[in-house]
């Protein structure tokens, strides 16, 4: 792979990291503003007049600006007699002086961006301004709103629909809205819609409304001018004083103010706006790797003649238009005629509708303009795929946004491209409109393959469109097929959005690459990040860190640690090549066997903290409980390691969400089958690192899951071992001492319970068989063969190996240990250790060995570091270590003569610690266990309280000691006076030495010489205390008030609060901590201390000397067989579906959901009532219109009768009715005879003649035939060359050549070769693709000038020879061979063709000949060789509906297909 090809595969996270670093060192706002100002001055200009010439008004130039608004250089002397003013030479471009931020003030302080730009400004610069400097995200859709520029009335319901629909489509699709930008007409309505959205949605997703207005008509524009830009400019909307000018709309967000150097001229912005829209529509859609451009839609409300031109030009450019019926004027005219047959859209009808909807404006319209508009309206309704009429009365529920998006899809659907459906789906994904895709794309008729939608699934995942992911899964996308290739999953990780996991993964990839370079001695390349790619190995390592070391990697590592086949030049470093194909194949087989596509996608979504996508993927997971618990662990670990508090909070919430999912599914499982549910807890999951649900829940600290009754039932079963859980504690204790009772049935074993249940079932079956007489037998002996009754030895072993029995025996012996310890300390503590004391030493040695065994016993594979952390974090283990340490210190001191008594003191203190350790026995108790948790929490509260209390104690103690005693130098008595005595005062021991009345000089030492007495206070001459008694008493009272009353009651209140807070959770916490105790005694040797040391010796010999693997304990982990595992997962999936169904039902029946449904129904009813009210009035108006039309038709019929009577000789004296048809109107019978199904040479009447700036005279449909009188017909003359035989001033000569199809609006020969018919030959060469004749193909030629495929052909003088221009495409030999076969071909068509080049006096007549070639013919072989060597100039194409040809050639191909019994 080349360097250029490897670039897309680089780790994009490095760029993200660099961007994040740059963000932290971002430039200051003042510097950014200065840079923006410099860029604007360098790239954007305005226009100004450089020559002042007075207009009719004094001191006003012909440009419209006053004299004072011109520069000094532009003002010439009064006697200047030079040139006259010309807009092309006297208006020049200078750097713009109006740009920056605009503030409208008023309520809400609305702000926006603006810039004054020249009409000649490059649209690329404007797009750069919008996206790079104004920080607008590129749009997924461009909505161009046009229509009435003057204020017009809109019905309330239509206005609401327009506001709501426009904003909804802009919000959901990320569209830009472009309008005229002023506070009037349709622009004002758009601004109000944006305002309504802003008020209801605060700052959630700002709507982009760009106003492109004319600078010269903006009122109060002077406030926007400043040479260095305005930040902000305070703009005042003064509608009362604006006159003929217009104010900017305060609800638009961005303004481009187009300047042509004139003042007071409207419409200056139209040309630049059109170019800008075309530029934006040429940009690539925001979706990565998408080949589509930004779609554009034109929305029309109301409007005048200019709006009609806008619609016409937009549709000629392929832009779909949505016209709102009921908005008035042009929109209503088009809406009313859109559904009529073309034959009924006449000049008279358009004239009638114009008069009806334009009112007084109609008086200013000329007949020629009405003819032109009629022609344009006919062309508009002839393009139904680009025209959408929004009618309130339609059954579309008033969804304007749906109508707009459907218009775009309809335009895309009309394309003959083979990937039309792909473009539609890509648009729907870009807009995030799953409703449109569901109704317009994924219909019942469509059939989809999973592979056809893989690109869409990838696009929806990368674009974070969860609703589309669900829709694609519903429509046949298989996740297994989608993620079958590892590269797809790797690509998903490469395109993961910026998140915490991606940053960690980037660091891991970068560090791994550095290690590889260091190992292989490769120098780092100059380009940072070259060769660094994300692989599943990196993902697996990072996930392994998040899940825990006790799990195996989810994606097995490569056979070689390096990944240098990605970008290194030496191909020998490829892992598969260096290690052999067998190892690579083994890895692939392992991956295929362990991978679950649902798991992979779920993990990808969870790692980026994406709740919606994760929820969808979780529903596709096979092992859903393990997946939910693993997600909870991963999210909690990332929340702890992350530095973003908000992101961590979201992770914690999502972690709790999946813990609830795990609990919900497990509850369904436990309620259905308890035995299977327990298997799910201890089953080793191959999809999640060979760990269990129980271990994942414990690692994630999921207390709610562990506290579930099903999990507790499993723990209880493990706690009891092979004993029945129904055995009473006293029975177990008795059997521990008198074990022969286990053979009498005094103690029940689980095996006995199982056999008893099977026996009962067998008896029930026998009774059923005896009653029914059935001979059907089941395999009732299968279980009895597997489970046999316990032997005597087995019962004894199971009794003493039960964790419950181990615990009770350890407790009993621990009491014995404490008793022996107390006896030694109080009675038998001699200089030489006695036998009892020696036993105590051995006993302690066994305890030390057990603690060492617990430290190194690691059945879950945590690793020593994690195991040591877990050991130290347990309070009871800390007490164990402390007690052993104190015992060892006391023992060392005790064995020395000098420190003998100190050693006894240490041992006595150690006895206290051993007694405190005794509290651990209560953790198993359901009653006392939770209370220990409360005590722990209260001890924490007490610690902080003592810190607060010590402040008062020390403050009072030091003050009192300083007042009473003078210069006490004995440290022990200082501590007693400062700490001990104030502390005792709290408990009521009031001192006597602070009160003169109770002072006794004999109770103290005057000089402090007596070590057993405190020093006396300062005495006066009469040997009485000199301190002020009243002060010490007040200090005592204040101290007691705060310490004894306030602080102690505060402590009680804190304890009460802690109790209330913890009480509800203590049971849950106790159930969670109960697991560790059960697991400890499950793996603990059966013998209690001190006999346990024998087990330790056995374990040491087994593991160290014999080097045998440690025993495995299957109580907490079971490896099921493949078939049993699949059955269990299938059952779990069924329970998951039940859980999801019940969850959906609960949500639908919740109070919040009911309130939303009720509100929606009320809104719907309100809309229906409003629509019904307007429908009634509209129906009345419609009936009046129909009545008027019927009267007109009756008048016409009477006029026709009168004309018939006149023709038969009857004399009529009455004059013609004024309502009769004009002389130029087409009679109905003539219209019927002249109309054809596809219209009358439509292409020949296009306004713009091809490849020229010449326009045709408008010819409506009814005026095409020459028979019809058309007095206003005045076509232009055009001939491309000047060597015509007929001069344009000789109409008599031109009339000798008349187009047989009728008028075209153009005289002369145009671009054709000669007047009259211009003959053309189209050759259709066909062949069968294979011998079975299943596919018919035809030969096409690539036309470089038009950029399309065409049938081979060209102009000819006679149809007996091929066109000469084909010699350039085909070699001479092939040309002559086909020319020789021309006479063998079948003439498919010959005659007039509706061509764009046709005029009134010159037209094209085409002959279509089909030559069918045999597959083995030499000509076919030569053509095939030519096709292969032509590089796409010649192509064989399949005859199908997907043929991309011009309309005329497509009709010819359809005739050829019919000859060969094929349908196009």
């Amino acid at each position: 792979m080349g360097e250029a090809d490897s670039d897309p595969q680089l780790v994009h996270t490095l760029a993200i990291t660099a961007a994040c670093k740059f963000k932290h060192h971002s430039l200051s706002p003042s510097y950014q503003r200065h840079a923006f100002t410099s860029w604007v001055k360098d790239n954007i200009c305005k226009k100004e007049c450089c020559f002042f010439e007075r207009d009719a008004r004094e001191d006003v130039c012909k440009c419209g600006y006053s004299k004072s608004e011109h520069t000094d250089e532009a003002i010439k002397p009064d006697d200047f007699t030079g040139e006259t003013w010309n807009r092309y030479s006297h208006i020049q471009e200078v750097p713009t002086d109006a740009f920056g931020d605009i503030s409208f003030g008023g309520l809400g302080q609305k702000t926006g961006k603006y810039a004054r730009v020249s009409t000649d400004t490059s649209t690329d610069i404007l797009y750069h301004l919008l996206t790079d400097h104004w920080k607008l995200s590129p749009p997924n859709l461009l909505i161009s709103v046009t229509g009435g520029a003057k204020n017009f009335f809109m019905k309330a319901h239509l206005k609401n629909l327009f506001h709501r629909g426009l904003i909804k489509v802009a919000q959901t699709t990320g569209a830009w809205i472009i309008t005229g930008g002023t506070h009037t007409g349709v622009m004002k309505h758009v601004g109000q819609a944006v305002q309504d959205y802003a008020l209801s949605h605060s700052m959630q997703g700002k709507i982009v409304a760009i106003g492109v207005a004319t600078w010269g008509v903006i009122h109060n524009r002077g406030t926007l001018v400043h040479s260095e830009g305005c930040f902000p400019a305070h703009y005042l909307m003064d509608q009362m004083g604006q006159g003929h000018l217009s104010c900017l709309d305060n609800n638009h967000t961005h303004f481009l103010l187009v300047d042509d150097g004139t003042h007071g001229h409207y419409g200056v912005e139209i040309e630049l706006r059109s170019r800008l829209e075309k530029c934006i529509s040429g940009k690539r859609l925001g979706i990565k790797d998408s080949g589509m451009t930004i779609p554009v839609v034109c929305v029309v409300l109301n409007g005048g003649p200019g709006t009609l031109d806008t619609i016409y030009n937009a549709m000629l450019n392929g832009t779909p238009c949505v016209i709102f019926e009921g908005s008035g004027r042009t929109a209503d005219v088009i809406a009313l005629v859109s559904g009529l047959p073309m034959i009924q859209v006449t000049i008279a009808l358009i004239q009638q509708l114009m008069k009806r909807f334009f009112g007084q404006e109609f008086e200013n319209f000329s007949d020629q303009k009405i003819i032109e508009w009629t022609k344009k309206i006919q062309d508009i309704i002839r393009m139904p795929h680009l025209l959408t009429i929004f009618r309130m009365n339609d059954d579309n529920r008033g969804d304007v946004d749906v109508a707009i998006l459907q218009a775009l899809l309809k335009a895309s659907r009309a394309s003959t491209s083979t990937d039309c459906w792909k473009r539609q789906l890509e648009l729907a994904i870009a807009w995030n409109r799953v409703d449109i895709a569901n109704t317009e794309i994924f219909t019942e008729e469509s059939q989809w393959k999973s592979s056809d939608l893989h690109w869409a699934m990838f696009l929806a995942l990368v674009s974070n469109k969860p609703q589309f992911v669900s829709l694609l899964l519903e429509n046949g996308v298989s996740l297994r097929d989608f993620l079958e290739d590892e590269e797809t999953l790797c690509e998903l990780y490469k395109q993961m959005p910026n998140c915490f996991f991606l940053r960690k993964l980037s660091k891991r990839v970068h560090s791994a690459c550095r290690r590889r370079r260091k190992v292989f001695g490769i120098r780092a390349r100059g380009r940072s990040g070259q060769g660094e790619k994300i692989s599943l190995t990196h993902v697996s390592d990072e996930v392994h860190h998040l899940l825990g070391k006790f799990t195996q990697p989810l994606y097995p590592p490569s056979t070689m640690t390096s990944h240098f086949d990605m970008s290194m030049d030496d191909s020998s470093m490829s892992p598969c090549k260096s290690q052999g194909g067998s190892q690579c194949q083994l890895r692939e087989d392992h991956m295929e066997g362990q991978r679950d596509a649902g798991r992979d996608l779920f993990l990808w979504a969870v790692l980026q903290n994406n709740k919606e996508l994760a929820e969808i993927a979780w529903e596709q997971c096979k092992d859903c409980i393990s997946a939910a618990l693993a997600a909870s662990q991963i999210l909690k670990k990332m929340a702890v390691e992350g530095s973003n508090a908000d992101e961590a909070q979201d992770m914690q919430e999502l972690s709790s969400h999946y813990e609830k999912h795990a609990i919900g599914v497990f509850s369904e499982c436990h309620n259905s089958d308890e035995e299977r549910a327990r298997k799910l807890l201890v089953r080793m999951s191959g999809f999640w690192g060979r760990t269990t649900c129980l271990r994942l829940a414990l690692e994630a600290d999921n207390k709610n899951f562990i506290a579930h009754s099903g999990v507790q039932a499993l723990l209880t079963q493990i706690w009891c071992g092979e004993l029945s859980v129904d055995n009473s504690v006293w029975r177990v204790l008795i059997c521990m001492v008198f074990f022969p009772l286990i053979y009498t049935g005094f103690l029940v074993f689980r095996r006995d319970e199982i056999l008893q249940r099977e026996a009962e079932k067998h008896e029930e079956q026998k009774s059923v068989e005896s009653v029914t007489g059935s001979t059907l037998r089941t395999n009732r002996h299968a279980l009895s063969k597997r489970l046999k009754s316990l032997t005597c030895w087995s019962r004894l072993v199971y009794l003493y190996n039960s964790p419950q029995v181990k615990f009770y025996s350890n407790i009993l012996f621990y009491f014995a240990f404490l008793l022996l310890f107390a006896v030694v300390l109080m009675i038998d503590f001699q200089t030489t250790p006695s036998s009892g004391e020696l036993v105590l030493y051995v006993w302690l040695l066994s305890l030390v060995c057990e603690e060492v065994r617990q430290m190194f016993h690691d059945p879950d594979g945590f690793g020593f570091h994690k195991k040591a952390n877990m050991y130290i974090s347990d309070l009871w283990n800390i007490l164990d270590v402390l007690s052993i340490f104190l015992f060892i210190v006391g023992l060392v001191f005790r064995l020395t003569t000098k420190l003998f008594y100190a050693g006894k003191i240490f041992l006595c203190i150690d006895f206290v610690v051993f007694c405190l350790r005794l509290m651990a026995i209560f953790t198993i108790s359901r009653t006392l266990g939770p209370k220990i948790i409360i005590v722990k929490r209260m001890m924490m509260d007490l610690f902080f309280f003592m810190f607060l209390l010590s402040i008062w104690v020390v403050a009072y103690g030091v003050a009192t000691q300083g007042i009473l005693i003078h210069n006490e130098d004995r440290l022990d008595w200082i501590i007693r006076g400062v700490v001990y005595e104030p502390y005792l005062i709290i408990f009521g021991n009031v001192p006597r030495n602070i009160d003169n009345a109770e002072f006794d000089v004999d109770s103290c030492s005057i000089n402090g010489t007596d070590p057993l007495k405190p020093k006396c206070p300062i005495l006066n001459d009469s040997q009485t205390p000199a301190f002020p008694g009243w002060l010490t008493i007040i200090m005592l009272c204040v101290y007691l008030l705060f310490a004894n009353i306030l602080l102690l009651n505060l402590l009680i209140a804190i304890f009460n609060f802690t109790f209330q807070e913890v009480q509800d959770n203590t049971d849950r916490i106790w159930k969670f901590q109960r697991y560790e105790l059960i697991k400890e005694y499950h793996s603990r040797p059966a013998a209690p201390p001190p006999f346990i040391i024998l087990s330790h010796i056995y374990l040491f010999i087994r593991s160290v000397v014999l080097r045998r693997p440690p025993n495995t304990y299957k109580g907490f982990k079971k490896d099921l067989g493949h078939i049993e595992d699949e059955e269990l997962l299938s059952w779990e999936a069924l329970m998951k579906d039940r859980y999801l169904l019940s969850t959906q039902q609960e949500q639908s029946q919740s109070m919040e959901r009911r309130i939303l449904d009720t509100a929606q129904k009320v809104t719907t009813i309100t809309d229906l009532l409003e629509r019904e009210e307007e429908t009634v009035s509209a129906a009345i108006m419609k009936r009046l219109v129909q009545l008027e039309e019927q009267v007109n038709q009756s008048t016409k019929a009477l006029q026709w009768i009168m004309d018939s009577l006149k023709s038969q000789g009857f004399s009529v004296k009455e004059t013609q009715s004024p309502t009769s048809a004009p002389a130029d109107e087409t009679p109905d019978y003539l219209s019927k005879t002249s109309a054809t199904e596809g219209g009358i040479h439509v292409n020949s009447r296009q306004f713009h003649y091809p490849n020229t700036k010449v326009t045709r005279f408008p010819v409506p449909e009814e005026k095409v035939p020459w028979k019809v009188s058309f007095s206003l017909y005045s076509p232009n003359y055009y001939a491309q060359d000047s060597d015509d035989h007929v001069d344009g001033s000789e109409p008599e000569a031109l009339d000798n050549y008349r187009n047989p199809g009728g008028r075209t609006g153009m005289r002369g020969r145009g671009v054709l070769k000669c007047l009259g018919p211009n003959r053309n030959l189209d050759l259709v060469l066909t062949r069968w693709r294979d011998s079975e004749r299943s596919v018919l193909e035809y030969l096409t030629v690539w036309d470089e000038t038009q950029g399309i495929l065409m049938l081979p052909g060209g102009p000819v003088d006679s149809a007996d020879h091929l066109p000469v221009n084909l010699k350039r495409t085909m070699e001479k030999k092939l040309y002559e061979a086909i020319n020789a076969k021309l006479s063998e071909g079948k003439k498919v068509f010959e005659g007039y063709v509706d061509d764009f080049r046709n005029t009134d006096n010159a037209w094209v007549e085409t002959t279509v000949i089909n030559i069918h070639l045999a597959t083995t013919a030499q000509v076919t072989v030569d053509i095939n060789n030519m096709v292969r060597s032509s590089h796409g100039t010649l192509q064989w194409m399949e005859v199908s509906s997907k043929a991309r040809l011009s309309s005329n050639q497509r009709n010819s191909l359809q005739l050829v297909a019919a000859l060969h019994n094929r349908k196009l």
Side-chain angles (χ1 to χ4, degrees), residues 338-396:
S338 62
L340 297 178
M342 189 63 63
I343 191 175
Q344 297 183 18
V345 184
T346 62
I347 299 174
L349 178 61
I350 298 301
Q351 187 175 13
Q352 178 185 357
L353 294 177
M354 286 282 186
K355 184 176 181 180
R356 171 184 167 188
F357 290 109
F358 281 82
Q360 295 180 354
E361 291 182 72
F362 178 76
E363 304 298 333
N364 300 324
F365 299 159
S366 64
D367 293 339
Q368 185 171 347
K369 280 295 182 182
I370 292 181
I371 292 173
E372 178 184 345
W373 297 336
T374 303
K375 173 64 172 64
K376 289 185 176 180
I377 291 174
Q378 289 176 349
D379 289 346
I380 287 172
I381 63 177
R382 192 176 277 115
M383 295 181 278
H385 61 287
L386 296 176
L387 181 63
T388 300
I389 307 298
F390 178 78
R391 295 183 172 91
M392 290 188 297
N393 298 331
D394 291 349
D395 295 331
N396 56 8

Side-chain angles (χ1 to χ4, degrees), residues 319-340:
T319 301
C321 295
V322 179
I323 297 176
F324 281 72
E325 184 185 43
S327 59
R329 300 203 298 171
T330 299
D332 281 358
V333 172
I334 298 176
L336 285 177
V337 302
S338 62
L340 297 178

Side-chain angles (χ1 to χ4, degrees), residues 763-781:
E763 291 298 329
E764 290 178 359
Q765 184 178 354
K766 287 180 63 177
S767 62
V768 171
E769 291 177 353
S770 62
V771 172
T772 59
S774 173
T775 57
L776 182 63
R777 294 290 185 272
T778 59
N779 191 11
R780 57 177 176 266
H781 300 292

Side-chain angles (χ1 to χ4, degrees), residues 1300-1320:
R1303 297 183 179 91
T1304 63
M1306 175 73 68
R1307 298 176 71 247
R1309 64 177 177 81
V1311 296
L1312 293 175
K1313 185 177 180 182
C1314 61
L1315 295 172
N1318 290 257
R1319 304 193 181 279
N1320 191 75

Side-chain angles (χ1 to χ4, degrees), residues 294-308:
I294 298 172
V296 183
V297 63
C298 181
V299 178
V300 181
L301 286 91
N302 195 273
T307 301
L308 181 60

Side-chain angles (χ1 to χ4, degrees), residues 395-536:
D395 295 331
N396 56 8
R397 298 181 61 189
D399 294 333
V400 175
D401 58 311
V402 175
I404 293 174
L405 299 180
Q406 283 178 341
L408 287 160
L409 292 181
K410 184 169 67 171
S412 175
R413 196 180 299 118
S415 172
T416 58
S417 175
T418 55
D419 57 352
C420 168
W421 66 270
K422 182 177 180 180
R423 289 207 310 270
Q424 294 180 38
L425 183 55
E426 196 168 355
L427 281 176
I429 294 175
W431 299 333
N432 197 22
R433 291 303 296 262
V434 70
D435 54 336
I436 299 295
N438 202 16
T439 56
E440 299 293 326
I441 301 174
F442 293 102
T443 58
E444 295 181 358
E445 296 80 12
S446 59
Q447 298 293 331
W448 305 93
K449 295 180 181 179
S450 176
S451 57
D452 295 338
L453 296 174
H454 285 176
W455 66 270
M457 174 62 81
F458 186 86
L459 195 58
L461 289 171
V462 172
S463 305
N464 190 20
K465 306 294 173 55
Q467 292 181 332
F468 266 97
V469 174
S470 297
L471 181 65
L472 292 170
L473 290 174
E474 292 172 2
N475 285 276
V477 174
S478 169
L479 280 183
R480 182 174 182 179
D481 296 340
F482 173 63
L483 294 176
E484 185 177 8
D485 187 7
E486 285 187 16
E487 287 300 320
T488 304
L489 189 58
C490 288
E491 195 65 27
L492 284 176
Y493 278 101
K494 291 172 188 175
Q495 299 196 24
M496 180 182 286
N498 186 18
C499 58
F500 172 74
F501 177 79
L502 192 59
R503 294 189 289 271
K504 288 178 63 67
L505 188 61
S506 174
K507 293 179 182 178
R508 182 175 292 274
V509 174
H510 200 61
S511 60
C513 193
R514 284 200 305 268
R515 288 197 301 268
R516 291 169 193 152
R517 290 195 182 106
K518 187 176 181 180
V519 170
F520 289 94
I522 300 175
R523 184 179 299 174
R525 298 194 177 191
R527 285 184 60 185
S528 178
Q530 180 73 14
E532 302 172 6
K533 289 201 315 183
I534 294 176
S535 68
L536 291 185

